């Protein structure tokens, strides 16, 4: 399989091939990145829209057009975004993703995951499935910055 079929096989139905380069002819192998099948919500995609119709709430990692493309909805409540601190091992990353899913999809609270690196992301909803681990096991500087700035690290 190649293209969309390969992405569906590797990840989940709904994943599509996003070409990185133009193919020289129709028989060439497409080089690209598989899209995130859960960009509009894990529970909605996994359980089906008939069972779970609610879309996830947009967060600050979403670009300006995400809501217009149907990837997320603006929150109906005036909640500040919750930032979840990720760490540099698998169980912490998986726990952070579970928390982001619960907050964004079930509770309607915008949530992002903080890596401690300004240009890196572990956002579960990243359209291209990009992620990296947090910069250290316990980022006390990020926690201290949040405490000193009324919960805001920016």
């Amino acid at each position: 399989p190649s293209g969309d079929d390969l992405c569906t096989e590797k990840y989940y139905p709904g994943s599509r091939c996003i070409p990185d380069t133009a193919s020289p002819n129709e028989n060439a192998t497409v080089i690209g990145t598989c899209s995130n099948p859960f960009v509009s919500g894990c529970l909605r995609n996994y359980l089906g829209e008939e069972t779970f119709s609610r879309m996830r709430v947009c967060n600050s990692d979403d670009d300006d057009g995400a809501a217009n493309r149907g990837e997320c909805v603006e929150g109906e409540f005036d909640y500040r975004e919750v930032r979840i601190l990720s760490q540099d091992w698998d169980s912490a990353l998986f726990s952070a993703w579970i928390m982001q899913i619960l907050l964004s999809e079930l509770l309607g609270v915008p949530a992002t995951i903080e890596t401690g690196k300004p240009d890196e992301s572990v956002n579960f909803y990243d359209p291209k499935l990009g992620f990296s681990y947090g910069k250290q096991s316990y980022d006390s500087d990020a926690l201290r910055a949040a405490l000193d700035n009324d919960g805001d690290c920016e």
Side-chain angles (χ1 to χ4, degrees), residues 44-55:
R44 179 181 183 162
N45 192 326
Y46 187 75
L47 298 174
E49 290 183 40
E50 304 79 32
T51 304
F52 193 86
S53 61
R54 177 188 285 175
M55 298 217 20

Side-chain angles (χ1 to χ4, degrees), residues 47-66:
L47 298 174
E49 290 183 40
E50 304 79 32
T51 304
F52 193 86
S53 61
R54 177 188 285 175
M55 298 217 20
R56 70 174 179 89
V57 172
C58 298
N59 63 53
S60 63
D61 285 341
D62 290 308
D63 63 39
D64 292 336

Side-chain angles (χ1 to χ4, degrees), residues 76-120:
E76 54 185 287
F77 307 109
D78 189 26
Y79 287 123
R80 286 177 69 180
E81 182 171 275
V82 173
R83 291 197 180 122
I84 304 159
L85 181 62
S86 175
Q87 298 174 335
D88 62 353
W89 66 89
D90 290 344
S91 62
L93 175 64
F94 299 145
S95 296
W97 280 343
I98 290 168
M99 289 175 59
Q100 187 177 28
I101 292 166
L102 292 174
L103 288 165
S104 299
E105 298 182 33
L106 290 176
L107 300 176
V109 176
T112 56
I113 302 175
E114 175 65 46
T115 64
K117 299 176 187 175
D119 297 330
E120 297 194 17

Side-chain angles (χ1 to χ4, degrees), residues 8-153:
T8 295
E9 183 180 297
K10 284 178 68 174
Y11 295 106
Y12 197 77
S15 183
R16 301 283 178 255
C17 181
I18 305 167
D20 290 337
T21 59
S23 297
N25 62 53
E26 63 186 47
N27 296 324
T29 302
V30 174
I31 299 170
T33 304
C34 292
S35 69
N36 185 347
F38 305 111
V39 73
S40 63
C42 177
L43 300 175
R44 179 181 183 162
N45 192 326
Y46 187 75
L47 298 174
E49 290 183 40
E50 304 79 32
T51 304
F52 193 86
S53 61
R54 177 188 285 175
M55 298 217 20
R56 70 174 179 89
V57 172
C58 298
N59 63 53
S60 63
D61 285 341
D62 290 308
D63 63 39
D64 292 336
N68 291 337
R69 289 190 303 274
E71 295 173 3
C72 58
V73 296
E74 297 300 326
E76 54 185 287
F77 307 109
D78 189 26
Y79 287 123
R80 286 177 69 180
E81 182 171 275
V82 173
R83 291 197 180 122
I84 304 159
L85 181 62
S86 175
Q87 298 174 335
D88 62 353
W89 66 89
D90 290 344
S91 62
L93 175 64
F94 299 145
S95 296
W97 280 343
I98 290 168
M99 289 175 59
Q100 187 177 28
I101 292 166
L102 292 174
L103 288 165
S104 299
E105 298 182 33
L106 290 176
L107 300 176
V109 176
T112 56
I113 302 175
E114 175 65 46
T115 64
K117 299 176 187 175
D119 297 330
E120 297 194 17
S121 172
V122 291
N123 179 12
F124 182 81
Y125 307 109
D126 184 274
K128 291 187 177 180
L129 292 168
F131 75 92
S132 59
Y133 286 97
K135 74 175 191 174
Q136 60 193 36
S137 295
Y138 194 79
D139 193 354
S140 58
D141 290 338
L143 295 173
R144 194 171 300 109
L147 179 64
D148 292 343
N149 293 294
D150 192 30
D152 195 348
C153 301

